[in-house]
């Protein structure tokens, strides 16, 4: 599968086209909209979330609730576009309009953002031309794409959920996920203001977010994605670009402001001995091959083991600050405080939703690479056959 997205933060709409989905896959706008709403939620979100109510329109590739096998096109309209038509319009400016008179031009890049380097790369003197696309607003349609991927995974018995494990050093008790199904974790997380499994830690996170907002600052954190029901042996060890963990790491780091990724014990492995890291293999007639522990996060040699996949990503604090940092005006070269755009004091809860969906896409994509089928029933049969094979191997 593959997809492309198009659209600017304050443009008329965000658009994506998905190619390679099997036919006969049930898809509804209602399910996608549920995930889009979650992306807009979470404590710490800014005023933009009060302006926009993201809903998707399925404009191609689906008929009567099922995919056709042709490309699926999704559109999310920007409600705020009506206030930006003159600023972001696609048509050339009238001859009597001075480009310098257009409002909201930006010449003061924000440290930590794409503004300055993007301007250098594409030759933009108005840095709005950079930030409109580099904005995390683009993740709206990536969540929509991931929601479609989750619909496919659900049909294959694979479920996925994300939750916040840390914000500005406040750590959740992640042992609370143990013994719970993905659905049980999701029920707790979706009812929590920080999308956290630990209500005690969540309350402290809320306080920290509020304090950062009052101070005009921003804070980051860590999110965790759990994938259950993954067949063993998906991915490959034979080439670097076919390793499942490499694909998942790239997906996690493709999210705006994400700067680190780990699996299972992650960087803690550097502080442990081998006997405390690797997962002993066991076999039972009922379950087939499993592991006594899951310290490697469901991955060995670039392939899934059949255990839950556990991947975490670290999100830096958002670079747009209401008490902006030192910068330089690219026109005058004089020092100034950086430009201020509407922003969140903390977007970690929302980012956990994005992480869930980009990981879902990569899982669905590699499944279809390994078990290619043009029709969903045939794909399900292949997966079932593979599960029986690995169980008795």
């Amino acid at each position: 599968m593959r997809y492309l997205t198009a659209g600017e933060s304050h443009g008329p709409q965000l658009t994506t086209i998905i190619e390679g989905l099997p036919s006969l896959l049930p898809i509804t706008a209602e399910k996608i909209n549920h995930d889009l709403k979650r992306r807009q939620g979470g404590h710490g979100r800014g005023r933009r979330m009060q302006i926009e109510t993201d809903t998707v329109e399925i404009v191609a590739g689906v008929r009567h609730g099922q995919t056709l096998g042709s490309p699926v096109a999704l559109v999310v309209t920007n409600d705020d576009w009506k206030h930006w038509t003159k600023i972001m319009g696609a048509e050339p400016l009238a001859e009597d309009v001075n480009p310098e008179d257009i409002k909201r031009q930006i010449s003061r890049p924000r440290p930590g953002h794409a503004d300055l380097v993007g301007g250098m790369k594409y030759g933009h003197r108005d840095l709005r031309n950079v930030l409109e696309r580099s904005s995390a607003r683009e993740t709206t349609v990536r969540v929509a794409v991931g929601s479609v991927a989750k619909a496919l995974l659900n049909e294959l018995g694979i479920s996925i959920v994300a939750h916040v494990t840390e914000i500005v050093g406040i750590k959740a008790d992640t042992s609370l996920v143990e013994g719970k199904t993905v659905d049980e974790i999701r029920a707790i997380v979706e009812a929590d203001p920080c999308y956290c499994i630990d209500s005690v830690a969540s309350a402290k996170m809320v306080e920290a977010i509020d304090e950062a907002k009052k101070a005009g600052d921003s804070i980051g954190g860590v999110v965790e994605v759990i994938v259950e029901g993954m067949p063993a042996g998906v991915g490959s060890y034979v080439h670097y670009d076919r390793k499942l963990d490499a694909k998942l790491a790239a997906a996690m780091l493709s999210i705006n402001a994400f700067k680190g990724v780990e699996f299972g014990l992650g960087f803690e492995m550097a502080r442990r001995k081998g006997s405390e890291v690797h997962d002993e293999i066991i076999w039972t007639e009922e379950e087939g091959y499993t592991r006594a522990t899951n310290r490697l996060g469901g991955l060995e040699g670039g392939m899934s083991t059949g255990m839950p996949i556990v991947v975490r990503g670290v999100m830096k604090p958002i670079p747009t600050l209401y008490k902006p940092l030192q910068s330089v005006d690219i026109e005058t070269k004089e020092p100034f405080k950086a430009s201020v755009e509407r922003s969140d004091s903390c977007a970690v809860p929302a980012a956990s939703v994005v992480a869930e969906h980009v990981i879902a896409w990569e899982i669905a994509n590699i499944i279809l690479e390994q078990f290619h089928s043009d029709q969903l029933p045939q794909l399900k049969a292949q997966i079932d056959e593979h599960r029986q094979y690995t169980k008795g191997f």
Side-chain angles (χ1 to χ4, degrees), residues 265-278:
L265 288 178
F267 289 100
E268 175 63 23
M269 296 181 198
R271 295 179 282 272
R272 297 196 183 191
K273 298 177 182 178
S275 58
E276 300 173 315
V277 169
H278 299 288

Side-chain angles (χ1 to χ4, degrees), residues 128-342:
R128 177 163 297 284
N129 291 334
V130 177
L131 69 87
E132 283 290 336
R133 179 60 182 176
S134 64
S135 165
R137 177 73 182 149
E138 186 262 354
T139 62
T140 303
V141 283
R142 296 186 71 190
V143 168
V145 167
S147 186
V148 172
K150 286 199 306 183
L152 174 60
L153 296 178
N154 184 61
E155 293 288 331
L156 304 178
I158 302 170
S159 52
I160 182 169
V161 68
H163 62 113
V164 173
T165 63
E166 181 178 346
I167 289 179
V168 74
I170 301 168
K171 297 182 179 181
D173 180 2
T174 54
S175 68
L176 294 173
V177 304
E178 296 175 7
K180 293 183 175 65
T181 66
V182 161
D183 289 340
E184 289 170 338
I185 296 170
R186 182 177 298 285
I188 297 171
V189 168
E190 290 194 7
D192 185 84
C194 291
Y195 298 167
C196 180
I197 193 77
D198 182 349
S199 60
V200 175
S202 177
K204 295 178 182 177
M205 292 174 182
V206 167
E207 291 180 2
I209 292 169
D210 290 343
E211 288 174 4
K213 184 175 181 179
K214 290 178 182 178
D217 215 331
S218 62
I219 52 178
V222 179
V223 305
E224 179 175 271
V225 182
I226 303 169
V227 184
E228 286 190 347
M230 188 67 174
V234 176
S236 181
Y237 60 88
V238 302
H239 284 298
Y240 70 93
D241 60 345
R242 292 176 61 190
K243 293 185 176 184
L244 176 55
D245 45 5
K247 290 177 179 288
L248 297 180
M252 189 70 86
L253 290 178
S254 74
I255 304 171
N256 303 56
F258 273 57
K259 288 295 185 181
V261 62
E262 63 179 12
F263 299 90
L265 288 178
F267 289 100
E268 175 63 23
M269 296 181 198
R271 295 179 282 272
R272 297 196 183 191
K273 298 177 182 178
S275 58
E276 300 173 315
V277 169
H278 299 288
D279 304 307
E280 293 184 313
I281 301 171
I282 57 179
W283 186 87
T284 64
E285 189 172 347
E286 296 76 20
E287 296 185 72
Y289 294 95
T290 58
R291 303 297 190 275
T293 55
N294 194 30
R295 298 161 180 161
L296 296 184
L299 296 154
E300 289 177 344
M303 300 167 291
S304 57
T305 65
M307 296 291 286
I309 292 175
V310 180
V311 53
R312 284 180 293 279
V314 57
M315 183 185 192
K316 69 178 181 179
I318 290 174
T320 297
L321 306 178
Y322 286 98
K323 287 186 177 179
L325 297 175
Q326 178 74 41
S327 184
V328 175
D329 191 304
I330 64 171
E331 297 300 338
T332 67
K333 303 300 187 291
E334 294 180 1
F336 279 101
K337 296 294 184 180
S339 298
V340 177
E341 292 285 305
R342 280 184 310 215

Side-chain angles (χ1 to χ4, degrees), residues 355-376:
E356 176 182 315
H357 288 81
V358 300
I359 294 298
W361 169 264
E362 291 300 328
I363 294 291
N365 196 22
I366 201 166
I367 286 284
L368 286 179
E369 286 180 3
Q370 190 157 323
F371 305 96
H372 176 71
S373 179
D374 293 325
Q375 302 175 32
L376 180 61

